[in-house]
Amino acid sequence: MIQDQESGLYLVDRSRTAVDNECMRKRYWGYEYAGVGLAPAGDSEFFAFGTAFHEGIQQEEAGQARDVAYTLMLASANALKMQEPLRTELPILVGGLAYAFVSRLLGHALMSHVVANREVECHFDMGGIRWMSKPDLVLRREADNTLWYWELKTSGAYGDTFCRQWEHKIQSHWGAKAYEATSGDPIEGILIQGALKGAKYKGHMRSRLVGAYARDGVPGMTKPAYSLKYKKGFSWFLSPEYEEGGQAGWIDQLPNSEIQEAFPVVPPRVPDTDMMDRWLQQHAVRERAIGMLVGDQVEMDEPHIHRTDPVGQKLMLEVFPQNDDACISTFGHSCAFYEACWNKTVGRDPIGSGMFVPRTPHHEPEAKALKERDSA
């Protein structure tokens, strides 16, 4: 577990605590193995989708946003050897989401706000831990000059489910607390903006940004007819095939209700200090235990999972037990570290197997501490 060299505080972000709650052995592989943790070699579908979308919406022009997101996702789909129809439809979906966000949503979302900070590194210290965060945006509401914490989340959940799951999620409260501690400025409220992939049907993406139903016209007599719902004589078509402007033209004419369904907004929330403090007290105990029992230098010298002595094995069984319910998700996706756990050859040398690479820290304090540690 990586420590800040000056303060001696353990460095923790939200991602590893979420993984720890899911499966403690997954936490070990992802964040503690060999003192830094592992990442799957190559992109995952979910990481590639989120990256493509976020890269796309950095563009100022909607058409460029679509092109960047589509191109990145198509490259990842090919690298991941995705099968049809996902290989075709996921790039169309993420390109459509990026286009719709920039052209139909961004101006409205920021209509009464200006950007005060973008992806600024933040943290707060409590219980021997430095809790790190990097908010997507901090907005300043022009009417009263108050600051609002804003997160943008891609998700496969449906609208109501997406909004409800944020009722007690700690992530946004963590980010707000970290920003307040780093900047000294209070956060008035929390805004969560969703970007949903939509439903699947028989393996196809059924988001209206991807397509709808069409009936061919009679050449020289009638134009094609389109419908958002299935009708007799209509068949599914992909939005880039839309005759009046391709995917951009299709999204431009969609009713606001379809755009709102793809981009649900969680009702504004006030930072909950009591909930945050209770959560921190519970998790600080676990994080300190990992730091004291494992230790990054010990892991660098000889990863505990490779030790055959009773102490090493006891530590893995008690501190990082496996949760076999998390090996295969309800939707059929395997844990990223499935092979490391269950394939003995891969588990003995996960990096040498070619399936994993050392994790790259995404927070500046951790990257700095890791560089100082490795150069000592």
Side-chain angles (χ1 to χ4, degrees), residues 104-160:
R104 301 282 299 268
L105 198 77
L106 187 59
H108 176 75
L110 302 181
M111 188 176 357
S112 57
H113 298 78
V114 295
V115 177
N117 261 309
R118 183 191 301 270
E119 293 192 338
V120 60
E121 191 70 55
C122 304
H123 69 264
F124 61 92
D125 300 338
M126 180 179 175
I129 311 293
R130 176 155 291 171
W131 307 89
M132 303 176 293
S133 181
K134 188 183 290 186
D136 286 341
L137 292 176
V138 174
L139 305 177
R140 188 178 299 279
R141 190 163 65 185
E142 294 182 297
D144 55 11
N145 214 36
T146 54
L147 293 177
W148 290 72
Y149 177 94
W150 189 85
E151 286 277 4
L152 174 62
K153 297 296 178 186
T154 56
S155 175
Y158 294 100
D160 289 344

Side-chain angles (χ1 to χ4, degrees), residues 158-322:
Y158 294 100
D160 289 344
T161 302
F162 174 82
C163 291
R164 287 180 56 205
Q165 71 183 5
W166 287 94
E167 291 178 5
H168 303 295
K169 270 196 172 184
I170 208 70
Q171 179 176 343
S172 55
H173 300 276
W174 178 327
K177 183 178 180 71
Y179 185 83
E180 289 181 336
T182 302
S183 69
D185 297 322
I187 293 291
E188 182 74 13
I190 295 167
L191 304 171
I192 306 293
Q193 172 69 65
L196 305 189
K197 298 177 182 179
K200 281 185 182 180
Y201 179 70
K202 294 184 178 180
H204 290 270
M205 307 303 302
R206 282 304 194 242
S207 166
R208 291 299 176 260
L209 303 178
V210 173
Y213 298 93
R215 183 182 63 198
D216 293 336
V218 178
M221 297 181 62
T222 61
K223 293 183 177 181
Y226 299 95
S227 173
L228 296 177
K229 296 182 179 180
Y230 174 75
K231 293 182 179 180
K232 186 176 181 179
F234 284 65
S235 58
W236 184 257
F237 86 104
L238 298 177
S239 57
E241 301 166 0
Y242 184 57
E243 289 194 352
E244 299 180 26
Q247 187 176 32
W250 174 254
I251 292 173
D252 288 343
Q253 60 81 46
L254 283 176
N256 286 335
S257 59
E258 294 293 334
I259 301 300
Q260 291 167 359
E261 185 174 324
F263 296 98
V265 178
V266 178
R269 305 174 65 200
V270 175
D272 191 330
T273 303
D274 291 340
M275 182 176 73
M276 186 73 219
D277 287 346
R278 287 196 303 272
W279 188 94
L280 287 168
Q281 289 171 14
Q282 296 173 54
H283 285 75
V285 174
R286 166 72 176 158
E287 295 301 327
R288 285 196 302 269
I290 293 173
M292 290 185 289
L293 292 172
V294 179
D296 60 350
Q297 192 63 49
V298 174
E299 269 296 316
M300 290 171 66
D301 295 338
E302 183 183 13
H304 283 91
I305 196 141
H306 299 325
R307 290 171 57 179
T308 57
D309 62 281
V311 174
Q313 289 299 300
K314 186 173 185 289
L315 188 66
M316 291 305 302
L317 292 172
E318 294 184 357
V319 182
F320 297 109
Q322 289 172 302

Side-chain angles (χ1 to χ4, degrees), residues 12-41:
V12 175
D13 60 12
R14 170 59 180 156
S15 297
R16 74 195 66 198
T17 64
V19 168
D20 198 56
N21 288 338
E22 181 184 349
C23 175
M24 296 177 186
R25 184 63 59 86
K26 183 177 180 179
R27 159 68 182 270
Y28 173 78
W29 288 120
Y31 291 94
E32 311 304 337
Y33 179 84
V36 65
L38 299 169

